[in-house]
């Protein structure tokens, strides 16, 4: 009887396979706690000999990732950390959220994960190298639809890492010896045919067949063997949580993999007294498909995947609809005065003399020209950097949305009406204008603290969190005052403290005005014995704060005639908003 492998062991084996085989240099960890990613990077880096990982953020890949300044008495350019240098250990790149990776980050991943030769031609630097960089990325299963399928396909090693403990056991000593040897086990023809039969009808794409075979080969190599067997392929399938043929075709054990016994201890292959690296005789070798009884169980070994196992399969993208924006990839236009300083995420640089000076790009652009520009004294170190006006570069920044929709959704007022009909014109405005969206939820069920409103910001209306917010079940409490307080904070930040003040801001408040949680209770998390009208008065006070803000178009959506309808009217008057009832303007 085999034992299911713990999550920590699955992650360790996956990282060891990635360190061993450069063809398996992409590791995708589903639902991993982001705080553990750096420790995992150090763990993999210790196997590779480079314990300092490179963290790739969600924003655009910085210029310094590809090029840098050479260390020495004179100025010059040198390859950046993403460029492999001969004689140095491979780098580990960490991605904290694959679903939020910028287009430039995605292109970098595709370049370094799926090519045998990479070339860099930039700032006078010409470098060609064979990528060896290992990538470890986190992705929530709920966000898989937001990642391009061709990018997901470049991560052959996939492990469900939810619940991974903070302390990961160090790599086994024998793994370090195997990595030092640098030789991979061979894959016999019959095993390769077994891989194709093992995945026939169950997976799409040749990359997945290759991934299964390579993982099986890596597992055999980690065990110190020189030939891959069918059992190693089944171990690889179990590591990935691929369904076994028996699960797909119950009762039919014929065909490749039909008699697999799960993940057992390394096969003895009948070779009593056999030394490591020696091949057993054909008569003494027993394939996993032919054995009559399972081998002794290994303490940390995954068995066949069953429907009761936690987690899911390695390819959740097969079962979800793409959630990415199908619109144009052109940069959004922003409207602002020419006197306003440039803001937004830096996505490159361009020639310029004044304003938003890009220091690094300026230095990197001038460094290759120093030898020609200063021929008479360049060879006498230390040589200072000489700049002339054409060397100056300014940042080229990505445009933030020029429109903003702030939605305050009071879930407790939804009984008896469909607010989607009333919200449709405003959602259409945000969609066609590619507006940023800030959603503030009041009175939703299943939240961590029902006395407080919840808020999240989305880059567009197509963010799947917006759809989930519109369909959230109704809770018990109505912290309307805290929701309006969050709206005030959001608008102040965007209009006054944000990097790009929005030109068109639409505030839509959907509520019946019956706030029963005072602002003090939301701040302390303690519900007072008696509330009375304190929650309503706090909501009106926050509404008056909203009325003091300029350049805001505010609308209050009233669910319709009912007792206490005057509360909504008072709220709309307090914040200077237009009142709309039942989807029809009043």
């Amino acid at each position: 009887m085999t034992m299911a492998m713990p999550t920590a062991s699955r992650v360790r084996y996956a990282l060891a396979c990635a360190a061993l085989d450069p063809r398996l240099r992409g590791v995708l960890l589903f639902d991993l706690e982001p705080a553990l990613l750096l420790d995992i990077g150090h763990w993999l880096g210790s196997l590779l000999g480079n314990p300092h990982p490179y963290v790739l953020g969600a924003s655009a890949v910085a210029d310094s990732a590809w090029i840098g300044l050479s260390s020495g008495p004179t100025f010059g350019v040198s390859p950046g950390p993403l460029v492999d240098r001969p004689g140095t250990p491979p780098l580990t790149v960490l991605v904290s959220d694959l679903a939020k990776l910028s287009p430039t980050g995605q292109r970098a991943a595709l370049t370094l994960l799926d090519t045998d030769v990479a070339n860099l031609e930039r700032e006078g630097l010409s470098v060609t190298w064979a990528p060896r960089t290992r990538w470890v990325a986190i992705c929530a299963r709920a966000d898989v639809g937001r990642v391009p399928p061709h990018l997901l396909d470049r991560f052959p090693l996939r492990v469900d890492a939810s619940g991974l403990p903070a302390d990961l056991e160090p790599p086994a000593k024998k793994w370090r010896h195997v990595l030092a040897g640098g030789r991979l086990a061979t894959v016999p023809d019959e095993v390769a045919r077994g891989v194709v039969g093992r995945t026939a009808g169950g997976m799409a794409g040749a990359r997945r067949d290759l991934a299964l075979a390579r993982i099986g080969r890596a597992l055999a190599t980690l065990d110190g063997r020189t030939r891959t067997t069918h059992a190693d392929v089944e171990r690889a399938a179990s590591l990935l949580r691929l369904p076994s043929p028996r699960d797909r075709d119950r009762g039919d054990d014929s065909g490749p993999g039909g008699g697999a016994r799960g993940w057992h201890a390394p096969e003895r292959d009948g070779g009593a007294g056999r030394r490591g690296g020696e091949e057993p005789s054909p008569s003494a070798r027993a394939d996993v498909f032919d054995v009559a009884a399972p081998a002794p169980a290994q303490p940390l070994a995954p068995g066949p995947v069953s429907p009761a196992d936690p987690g899911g399969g390695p390819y959740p993208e097969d079962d979800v609809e793409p959630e990415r924006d199908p619109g144009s990839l052109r940069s959004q236009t922003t409207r602002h005065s020419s006197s306003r300083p440039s803001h937004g995420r830096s996505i490159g640089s361009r020639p310029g003399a004044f304003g938003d000076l890009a220091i690094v790009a300026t230095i990197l652009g001038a460094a290759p020209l120093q030898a020609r520009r200063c021929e008479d004294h360049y060879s006498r170190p230390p040589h200072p950097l000489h700049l002339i006006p054409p060397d100056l570069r300014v940042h080229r920044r990505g445009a933030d949305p020029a429109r903003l929709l702030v939605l305050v959704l009071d879930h407790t007022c939804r009984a008896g009406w469909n607010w989607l009909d009333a919200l449709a014109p405003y959602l259409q405005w945000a969609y066609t204008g590619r507006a940023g969206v800030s959603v503030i939820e009041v009175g939703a069920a299943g939240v961590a603290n029902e006395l407080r409103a919840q808020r999240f910001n989305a880059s567009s209306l197509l963010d799947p969190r917006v759809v989930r917010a519109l369909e959230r079940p109704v809770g018990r409490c109505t912290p309307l005052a805290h929701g309006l307080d969050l709206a005030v904070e959001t608008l102040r930040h965007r209009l006054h403290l944000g990097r790009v003040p929005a030109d068109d801001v639409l505030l839509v408040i959907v509520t019946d005005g019956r706030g029963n949680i005072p602002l003090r209770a939301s701040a302390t998390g303690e519900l007072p014995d008696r509330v009375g009208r304190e929650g309503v008065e706090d909501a009106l006070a926050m509404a008056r704060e909203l009325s003091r803000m300029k350049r805001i178009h505010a609308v209050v959506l009233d669910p319709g005639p009912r007792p206490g309808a005057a509360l909504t009217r008072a709220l709309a008057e307090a914040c200077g908003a237009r009142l709309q009832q039942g989807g029809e303007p009043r």
Side-chain angles (χ1 to χ4, degrees):
M1 177 179 179
T2 59
M3 298 175 60
M5 172 177 270
T7 300
S9 296
R10 289 182 183 273
V11 173
R12 290 175 67 248
Y13 271 101
L15 296 176
C17 290
L20 177 64
D21 189 353
R23 296 282 187 175
L24 298 173
R25 52 183 182 264
V27 182
L28 184 58
L29 303 176
F30 291 115
D31 298 325
L32 175 71
E33 180 65 33
L36 303 179
L37 182 61
L38 192 59
D39 293 336
I40 287 179
H42 290 308
W43 194 99
L44 178 56
S46 67
L47 268 182
L48 296 171
N50 186 355
H52 304 292
Y54 182 85
V55 180
L56 190 65
S59 60
V61 178
D63 292 340
S64 58
W66 298 110
I67 53 177
L69 291 176
S70 59
S71 58
T74 60
F75 285 98
V77 293
S78 62
L82 293 184
V83 179
D84 287 314
R85 304 184 184 185
T88 60
L91 177 71
T92 301
V93 177
L94 306 179
V95 180
S96 59
D97 192 343
L98 193 63
K100 295 181 180 179
L101 192 61
S102 67
T104 54
Q106 294 177 14
R107 287 192 289 268
L110 292 172
T111 299
L112 299 180
L113 283 172
D114 190 45
T115 184
D116 295 327
V117 178
N119 182 260
L120 176 66
E121 301 284 346
R122 192 169 179 179
E123 306 293 349
L125 191 68
S126 178
V127 183
T128 301
W129 76 98
R132 299 173 296 134
T133 305
R134 270 58 170 186
W135 288 65
V136 182
I138 300 177
C139 185
R141 286 188 179 272
D143 296 335
V144 164
R146 301 168 59 190
V147 184
H150 62 277
L151 178 59
L152 288 170
D153 226 15
R154 270 61 174 184
F155 287 87
L157 284 159
R158 303 181 176 199
V159 179
D160 193 300
S162 57
L164 181 71
D167 297 327
L168 202 60
E169 185 181 346
K173 292 183 178 180
K174 65 176 182 178
W175 290 352
R176 299 184 185 277
H177 295 296
V178 170
L179 264 66
R183 297 186 62 182
L184 292 169
T186 60
V187 181
D189 292 342
E190 63 272 13
V191 175
R193 288 192 293 269
V195 170
V196 176
R198 173 67 169 78
T199 58
M203 294 192 302
R207 293 181 186 274
R208 300 180 183 182
D209 295 345
L210 292 173
L212 185 61
R214 288 167 178 165
I215 296 172
R217 179 179 63 177
L219 293 174
T221 306
L222 291 174
D223 287 342
R225 291 180 284 111
T226 59
R227 284 175 62 89
T228 307
T229 66
H230 293 294
D232 296 317
V233 174
E234 288 303 318
R235 294 167 63 192
S238 184
L239 175 63
L240 294 177
R241 290 190 180 274
L242 283 176
S244 66
R246 185 174 301 175
D247 293 332
R248 295 203 311 262
D249 190 10
R250 296 196 177 274
D252 183 8
D253 289 344
S254 62
R261 302 292 195 268
W263 191 330
H264 306 300
E267 293 179 85
R268 303 180 184 276
D269 287 337
R274 173 191 166 200
R275 301 181 183 275
E278 295 181 0
E279 293 301 323
S281 63
S283 60
R285 185 173 64 240
D287 276 345
V288 67
F289 301 126
D290 301 326
V291 294
Q298 189 174 347
L300 296 178
V305 181
S306 65
D309 284 342
Y315 306 110
E317 65 268 26
D318 294 345
D319 302 320
V320 300
E321 292 293 332
E323 297 176 354
R324 298 182 61 79
D325 187 350
S328 172
L329 296 179
R330 293 177 299 176
S331 298
Q332 303 174 26
T333 58
T334 55
R335 301 189 303 272
H336 53 76
S337 62
S338 58
S339 61
R340 182 180 299 168
S342 178
H343 296 281
R345 296 181 301 177
S346 177
I347 59 175
S349 61
R350 57 182 176 84
F354 303 102
D356 192 17
L357 190 64
I359 303 297
V360 175
T362 298
I363 295 175
L364 292 176
L369 306 174
Q370 297 298 299
R372 179 177 298 179
R373 183 178 296 168
C374 311
E375 295 180 357
D376 55 339
H377 61 276
Y378 179 75
S379 59
R380 298 194 300 269
H383 177 267
L385 181 67
H386 292 170
L387 297 178
I388 60 177
D391 295 331
L392 299 180
R393 298 288 187 274
V394 295
H395 287 293
R396 184 165 54 88
R397 298 188 178 274
D400 283 347
R403 291 183 172 185
L404 176 65
L405 172 65
V406 179
L407 275 177
V408 180
L409 302 176
D410 180 1
H411 292 277
T412 58
C413 74
R414 288 176 54 192
W417 74 300
N418 182 10
W419 64 12
L420 291 179
D421 294 337
L423 283 170
Y426 309 106
L427 300 180
Q428 181 70 19
W429 174 87
Y431 176 75
T432 57
R434 301 177 66 86
V437 181
S438 180
V439 179
I440 301 169
E441 299 184 70
V442 175
V447 297
N449 188 344
E450 60 182 359
L451 301 181
R452 298 176 59 85
Q454 313 297 317
R455 174 180 57 182
F456 67 86
N457 297 318
S459 59
S460 72
L461 194 67
L462 296 175
D463 192 305
R465 293 176 297 175
V466 177
V467 178
R468 291 196 288 266
L470 293 172
E471 299 175 350
R472 201 91 65 191
V474 178
R476 300 180 300 173
C477 301
T478 310
L480 180 60
H482 184 241
L484 296 178
D485 184 30
L486 292 180
V488 171
E489 179 183 329
T490 299
L491 292 169
R492 280 178 177 168
H493 181 270
R494 187 60 189 263
L495 294 174
H496 303 293
L497 304 178
R499 296 179 301 182
V500 181
D503 292 326
D504 294 328
V505 178
L506 178 60
L507 170 64
V508 179
I509 305 173
V510 189
T511 183
D512 56 7
R514 295 185 291 183
N516 58 7
I517 302 298
L519 196 58
R520 175 170 51 89
S522 299
T524 61
E526 298 178 358
L527 191 64
D529 295 334
R530 299 187 63 182
V531 174
R533 283 185 53 89
E534 187 177 354
V536 174
E537 295 297 333
D538 288 346
L540 293 176
M542 290 296 102
R544 285 188 284 271
E545 290 291 329
L546 289 170
S547 67
R548 298 187 179 97
M549 296 185 176
K550 307 300 182 183
R551 295 184 291 117
I552 294 178
H553 305 281
V555 178
V556 175
L557 296 183
D558 190 339
R562 70 196 180 283
L567 294 176
T568 313
R569 188 179 305 109
L571 183 69
E573 293 174 355
C575 64
R578 178 170 59 91
L579 182 63
Q580 180 175 325
Q581 182 177 8
E584 298 295 334
R586 291 186 59 183

